[in-house]
Amino acid sequence: MTGGEPLDLLMIVDDPAIAGFVARRGVDRLFVDLEVMGKAERQGHLDTVQSVQTSEVVTRIRQSAPEAHLLVRINPLHGGSATEIDDVLARGADSIMLPMFHDRETLARFFDLLKGRAAAVPLFETVGAVDALPGLIGDLPLERLHIGLNDLHLERGDPMIFTPLAQGLLEEAATAMREGGVAFGIGGVARAGEGHVPPELVLGEHVRLGSTAAILSRTFHRRAATLEALTGEMDFAAEIGRLRQIYADFQVADGAQIDANRLAFQRAVATA
């Protein structure tokens, strides 16, 4: 379980006005998604967020929220990765996320290219990467990472996004990260009270495993394309507060409550 750390919330943004607004109302890290290589082939049949952005959006988001932490997801490692990394760093990225790697060698190459110039946040979203994760702690300079459930469940052929979590796939990795002092987050989270598996169940699993971060899902903000649409549809700060309160309540729950929530979560996933 977590030791009282607040929940770190990330939000994928491409509109500068929205970015500045949410950065002042509870979003800890603005997330610019530049990944395009292979994503349509993997997720084209799903209603998921798929980037069509170019690196210029990094500059616009940086200018709109100069004090915010800016995380940029680049493409999977390829021949142009060094140039891509240099570009987003020059545009103001504070941390860089590498997606869709399967082994130690690819991740090690990413660290070599980054050269410590920004925080590395590898996205462990393949079976190979998750299986390798415990052995990478202490071997590579992992300080923070994120577990991506979308591509992970697709690769496994699972019926829904939370199945890997419900079936215990992350237990060994989470233990290793807690013991190794590696901060990590898991997947995304919807609005309180919404979804087949609502945050009232999901965030209990975050606390049990030691996760301290989650991405605000598409359903959280209804893919609002403008600030007017976002503010007209929801009280953003209040909804952020509801998620933080759910997480904080689990942090002070006893073992029996955490265990009961785990069973309820597994039942909800099985019937979703």
Side-chain angles (χ1 to χ4, degrees), residues 64-132:
S64 70
E67 303 302 320
H69 185 102
L70 179 55
L71 167 68
V72 178
R73 175 161 62 190
I74 60 173
N75 282 295
L77 204 69
H78 65 289
S81 290
T83 299
E84 190 174 5
I85 289 170
D86 290 346
D87 183 43
V88 298
L89 288 176
R91 294 176 184 276
D94 296 301
S95 56
I96 297 181
M97 175 178 283
L98 178 71
M100 290 306 294
F101 60 91
H102 300 265
D103 52 48
R104 179 198 181 280
E105 289 69 27
T106 305
L107 185 55
R109 178 61 179 152
F110 169 61
F111 279 110
D112 288 344
L113 292 174
L114 192 54
K115 298 184 179 71
R117 292 173 291 168
V121 186
L123 181 62
F124 284 74
E125 58 180 341
T126 68
V127 172
V130 172
D131 286 347

Side-chain angles (χ1 to χ4, degrees), residues 18 96 104 108 114 118 127 130 133 155 164 181 193 196 215 231 246 254:
I18 289 177
I96 297 181
R104 179 198 181 280
L114 192 54
V127 172
V130 172
L133 177 51
E155 182 182 348
H196 295 295
I215 301 167
T231 57
I246 293 167
D254 60 31

Side-chain angles (χ1 to χ4, degrees), residues 75-233:
N75 282 295
L77 204 69
H78 65 289
S81 290
T83 299
E84 190 174 5
I85 289 170
D86 290 346
D87 183 43
V88 298
L89 288 176
R91 294 176 184 276
D94 296 301
S95 56
I96 297 181
M97 175 178 283
L98 178 71
M100 290 306 294
F101 60 91
H102 300 265
D103 52 48
R104 179 198 181 280
E105 289 69 27
T106 305
L107 185 55
R109 178 61 179 152
F110 169 61
F111 279 110
D112 288 344
L113 292 174
L114 192 54
K115 298 184 179 71
R117 292 173 291 168
V121 186
L123 181 62
F124 284 74
E125 58 180 341
T126 68
V127 172
V130 172
D131 286 347
L133 177 51
L136 299 179
I137 297 173
D139 176 34
L140 294 177
L142 289 169
E143 296 182 359
R144 178 182 295 275
L145 59 89
H146 203 84
I147 304 292
L149 296 179
N150 197 20
D151 276 300
L152 185 62
H153 99 279
L154 290 175
E155 182 182 348
R156 282 166 41 95
D158 291 326
M160 70 98 62
I161 195 168
F162 289 117
T163 301
L165 185 57
Q167 293 185 351
L169 186 69
L170 305 183
E171 300 297 319
E172 181 182 357
T175 298
M177 287 186 286
R178 292 195 305 270
E179 293 176 350
V182 177
F184 68 98
I186 300 173
V189 64
R191 289 191 203 179
E194 295 189 356
H196 295 295
V197 188
E200 287 85 348
L201 298 176
V202 175
L203 290 177
E205 285 293 274
H206 279 252
V207 170
R208 182 181 69 82
L209 291 169
S211 164
T212 58
I215 301 167
L216 297 174
S217 70
R218 175 188 60 81
T219 59
F220 182 89
H221 49 77
R222 308 294 198 263
R223 274 187 177 168
T226 65
L227 181 57
E228 181 181 16
L230 181 70
T231 57
E233 206 282 326

